[in-house]
Amino acid sequence: MLKTIARMLMLMSLIFLAACAGDVKPIEEPSIGANTPTQSPAMNTQKPQNTEPKQPNETSFKAELSINLKSYSDQLTEYDLPALEVLEKNLTALVEHDHTLYQSGFVNKKLADAMEPYYDEQYQYKFTDIESIDSMLPNEHQVNITVIGQRLDMAAKTVENVKMLYAIRPNDQGEWVIYIID
């Protein structure tokens, strides 16, 4: 019984290793013609292609807001449309490093100060799309908008993908403001 289990484990290991070996294309015989160069398999110098998308580096990174927010207006009711305006102001403030505009969109100064880690001179943002828009009505009318893009950390010289959830709703005076960025 023990030998059978050991054999099965070895067989499964071999199958696993073979599966992990990657795509191995069979060597094709070249057709022999007047202008066809011949190449032996040992002399094949083609490099495998990298299938991972290239991350931009800090020299090619361009901070921008490349989302057409008006194109998402059909996903909101007319009452909820001011949420897109609040979002646009905040994203623009992050891209342009406008500290006053950034802080003006929050429900209060305390929350604006708590959200300061997103706003830092060492960061540059490129916002490229909206992943989702959800309206929530149970207790308070709120619109949740998830924005995606990239952030360049100039101190660390790295570019990372970002996904930011904005919770936007009217305050007590009826003005649409940001209640949280997560």
Side-chain angles (χ1 to χ4, degrees), residues 13 23 46 61 66 68 76 113 117 135 150 162 168 172 181:
S13 305
D23 273 348
Q46 286 184 339
F61 189 89
S66 63
N68 178 3
L76 295 170
D113 290 342
S135 295
Q150 295 176 325
V162 292
I168 304 170
D172 294 337
I181 301 174

Side-chain angles (χ1 to χ4, degrees), residues 2 17 27 41 45 53 79 97 108 110 139-140 147 149 155 181:
L2 191 55
L17 286 173
I27 299 171
T45 59
Y79 178 75
H97 289 279
N108 57 40
K110 184 178 179 182
N139 298 329
E140 298 182 43
V147 179
I181 301 174

Side-chain angles (χ1 to χ4, degrees), residues 1-14:
M1 177 79 170
L2 191 55
K3 286 183 181 180
T4 305
I5 292 174
R7 285 182 189 155
M8 297 251 319
L9 286 174
M10 287 182 62
L11 181 61
M12 289 173 58
S13 305
L14 289 173

Side-chain angles (χ1 to χ4, degrees), residues 54-113:
K54 278 182 103 175
Q55 284 281 11
N57 61 30
E58 66 273 6
T59 57
S60 67
F61 189 89
K62 181 180 181 230
E64 66 181 325
L65 174 58
S66 63
I67 306 170
N68 178 3
L69 293 172
K70 288 180 178 42
S71 68
Y72 292 92
S73 62
D74 61 340
Q75 296 183 30
L76 295 170
T77 66
E78 190 172 327
Y79 178 75
D80 295 339
L81 286 178
L84 289 176
E85 294 170 20
V86 170
L87 176 66
E88 183 174 24
K89 285 180 186 175
N90 189 271
L91 297 177
T92 300
L94 287 171
V95 169
E96 296 177 357
H97 289 279
D98 186 333
H99 195 253
T100 305
L101 182 61
Y102 178 75
Q103 287 202 324
S104 70
F106 291 96
V107 66
N108 57 40
K109 174 90 169 103
K110 184 178 179 182
L111 180 63
D113 290 342

